[in-house]
Amino acid sequence: QDISVTAINTSFGHVAPSTSKTQDICKVNNTGKKKSLGITGLTDGSSEMTFQFKGSSTTSATIYAGGSAIIEGTYTPSGSGADSTTLAIAHDATVLNTSPVNVTVTGTGGTGDAYVDITPSELSNTHFEKPSVDAGALLQLGTYSTVVTIANNSQTAGDVLTGELFCDSNESSFSVSPSTFQLAQGASTEVLVTFAPSIASTKAEQITTSIQLNNVTSSLGSVVSTQPCTADIYPVWGPV
């Protein structure tokens, strides 16, 4: 029998102190064709990370020829700062006689940057009806709308982001709904952007706006980064 180890995710990223994050770390493969592979132990030097075979809650396993098993880890930082450990996988492989196989696993206690993303970042004219625009054309009254998605891409487990949205434009007929949001880590929601002119205009030109985020805060004190979403609006124009 022989052994190979394939990394899955060896970095926990940012995790708030006194909270836990569990994830798949690596896959142990028995590349032999006949004999079973014995994993006799998983050890590391960290008091904040623990490891076990997924689905068994044990640190030993028997992997049949051609099979594999996943090792999962749990990271519970006691404070802020970077952590690193060496996961040692002891085995009885005879072809690869170097035991244990070592895997470096890292994590950082504390909050990292949080990102509120708006997609698409630039609304193309396909989101609003765009007929041909003639000189002296008249803006037709009506309601024109599109949808954008905002997402909480914080790196920190349990990080809830809240904030406000508004349209920054010289036109007062733009609105967003909802105008506030509260998103758990990894969550997203759709926002309706509406342009509803109440007075016809003779300006035969595109109208621009940007969807801005305001007063965005993190439940864990992360530094929150945001970028506006720009929009080129082509509403329906008709003859004068």
Side-chain angles (χ1 to χ4, degrees), residues 7-233:
I8 298 176
N9 189 357
T10 58
S11 173
F12 284 99
H14 289 79
V15 179
S18 301
T19 65
S20 297
K21 181 180 181 180
T22 299
Q23 66 186 35
D24 296 345
I25 301 297
C26 59
K27 179 188 289 187
V28 182
N29 310 288
N30 181 353
T31 58
K33 297 181 178 179
K34 293 182 179 180
K35 295 182 179 181
S36 297
L37 170 67
I39 305 300
T40 55
L42 306 176
T43 57
D44 70 281
S46 172
S47 61
E48 300 179 332
M49 298 183 191
T50 58
F51 302 93
Q52 63 186 23
F53 281 97
K54 190 172 184 176
S56 69
S57 300
T58 63
T59 57
S60 60
T62 298
I63 305 174
Y64 296 104
S68 61
I70 292 176
I71 297 173
E72 65 179 7
T74 299
Y75 177 41
T76 309
S78 58
S80 299
D83 294 300
S84 178
T85 192
T86 299
L87 168 62
I89 306 170
H91 60 85
D92 63 0
T94 55
V95 177
L96 178 62
N97 55 17
T98 302
S99 180
V101 175
N102 294 327
V103 178
T104 300
V105 183
T106 61
T108 302
T111 56
D113 285 347
Y115 302 90
V116 181
D117 288 341
I118 308 179
T119 54
S121 60
E122 182 173 352
L123 301 183
S124 69
N125 56 33
T126 59
H127 291 78
F128 286 79
E129 192 170 355
K130 183 192 177 186
S132 60
V133 177
D134 300 321
L138 184 69
L139 173 61
Q140 302 298 293
L141 300 183
T143 299
Y144 313 93
S145 61
T146 190
V147 171
V148 298
T149 300
I150 59 172
N152 175 355
N153 290 330
S154 175
Q155 303 173 38
T156 307
D159 198 359
V160 179
L161 302 182
T162 59
E164 305 167 348
L165 293 124
F166 68 95
C167 282
D168 183 15
S169 174
N170 291 330
E171 298 283 341
S172 61
S173 302
F174 283 101
S175 63
V176 291
S177 180
S179 59
T180 61
F181 65 89
Q182 178 173 305
L183 295 173
Q185 183 204 23
S188 62
T189 189
E190 290 187 339
V191 175
L192 182 67
V193 183
T194 300
F195 177 52
S198 58
I199 301 175
S201 170
T202 57
K203 294 185 298 181
E205 59 187 24
Q206 73 184 51
I207 301 169
T208 62
T209 188
S210 64
I211 295 89
Q212 301 275 357
L213 297 116
N214 191 35
N215 296 327
V216 181
T217 59
S218 159
S219 63
L220 299 177
S222 299
V223 177
V224 183
S225 301
T226 65
Q227 288 187 335
C229 169
T230 61
D232 292 332
I233 311 301

